[in-house]
Amino acid sequence: MSGIFEYNGGSIVGMKGKNCIAVACDRRFGQQMSTITTNYQKVFKIQDNILLALSGLNTDIHTFYALMEKEINLYNLKENRKMKPTTFANLVASALYERRFGPFFVTPIVAGLENGKPILATYDSIGCKSDLDDFQVGGTGGNYIYGACEAFFKPDMSPEELEEVIGQSLVSGCDRDALSGWGGVVYVLTEQKITVKILKTKQT
């Protein structure tokens, strides 16, 4: 089953800071060792305070994002308020578990800010949530990025420090993974704004 997750390649990473949170992804979309395009979007804005990063099978990435977009729009209409990041994290888990007998081949990372507190969660394919770590990784380069995150991470980073650290971790991991690369994008979420930075990585 792991081969299905790796078929299109790509890597994602999320990391907590002090009153901020960041998500980064590479830009490659391929079919195994063939590169199809180099400007592929893997991070989606759900709300002003929630970002969803998805790696895995291309078709399931788009299907799962469309499902989450529908669910959050229905919630906003019904409740007449914005969804909390912790609620959205649980929604992702239940949506994955609902499809456990025919799962979505995606690895989601949910990043959000709730009253200034960073919320970060990742999941397996049947919705088991992991939200205890200060950083989370996914995709084909996840193991390489995890090692870089362990080396670079420090608690209570400012948005500027967080942007630099998560960017260096992504670049370091993508340089070691044949199915990731062709540039990267870093999204830093604070209570005031979302900043986006484009990175250069190996072009092969």
Side-chain angles (χ1 to χ4, degrees):
M1 187 180 287
S2 64
I4 301 173
F5 285 92
E6 297 167 3
Y7 182 73
N8 295 127
S11 300
I12 54 175
V13 55
M15 189 177 287
K16 293 179 182 179
K18 185 177 182 180
N19 301 322
C20 59
I21 194 164
V23 180
C25 66
D26 72 317
R27 306 182 77 186
R28 179 185 182 273
F29 165 62
Q31 288 181 341
Q32 296 177 327
M33 299 305 290
S34 301
T35 298
I36 306 300
T37 186
T38 58
N39 61 350
Y40 186 67
Q41 183 181 5
K42 298 184 180 80
V43 178
F44 306 92
K45 179 183 172 184
I46 301 297
Q47 283 181 174
D48 291 339
N49 62 337
I50 302 174
L51 296 173
L52 174 66
L54 294 167
S55 69
L57 190 65
N58 170 52
T59 49
D60 280 3
I61 286 174
H62 289 286
T63 304
F64 190 75
Y65 168 61
L67 175 64
M68 291 299 97
E69 194 174 37
K70 182 199 81 171
E71 292 291 344
I72 204 158
N73 287 338
L74 287 172
Y75 180 92
N76 292 342
L77 285 169
K78 184 179 179 182
E79 300 290 334
N80 199 28
R81 61 190 170 97
K82 297 292 185 182
M83 186 181 284
K84 293 179 181 177
T86 48
T87 307
F88 182 74
N90 291 330
L91 172 66
V92 171
S94 62
L96 289 168
Y97 186 72
E98 192 176 310
R99 286 284 301 272
R100 62 193 178 280
F101 298 116
F104 292 106
F105 297 114
V106 294
T107 303
I109 292 179
V110 173
L113 282 178
E114 190 169 319
N115 300 321
K117 180 186 175 185
I119 305 295
L120 184 64
T122 190
Y123 312 79
D124 65 7
S125 60
I126 59 167
C128 180
K129 184 171 70 169
S130 170
D131 58 358
L132 299 177
D133 293 331
D134 292 314
F135 50 84
Q136 302 282 4
V137 299
T140 55
N143 290 337
Y144 306 112
I145 296 173
Y146 199 92
C149 288
E150 286 186 320
F152 293 141
F153 178 82
K154 57 184 181 180
D156 296 329
M157 287 183 287
S158 68
E160 293 75 21
E161 289 177 301
L162 184 61
E163 181 183 278
E164 181 68 21
V165 166
I166 197 171
Q168 290 291 340
S169 300
L170 180 76
V171 170
S172 176
C174 288
D175 283 348
R176 289 165 173 79
D177 179 41
L179 298 178
S180 302
W182 285 95
V185 190
V186 175
Y187 302 80
V188 180
L189 178 61
T190 65
E191 290 186 281
Q192 292 77 35
K193 61 183 178 178
I194 300 174
T195 58
V196 182
K197 182 180 181 182
I198 306 297
L199 304 175
K200 286 187 177 181
T201 65
K202 64 178 174 61
Q203 304 289 300
T204 55

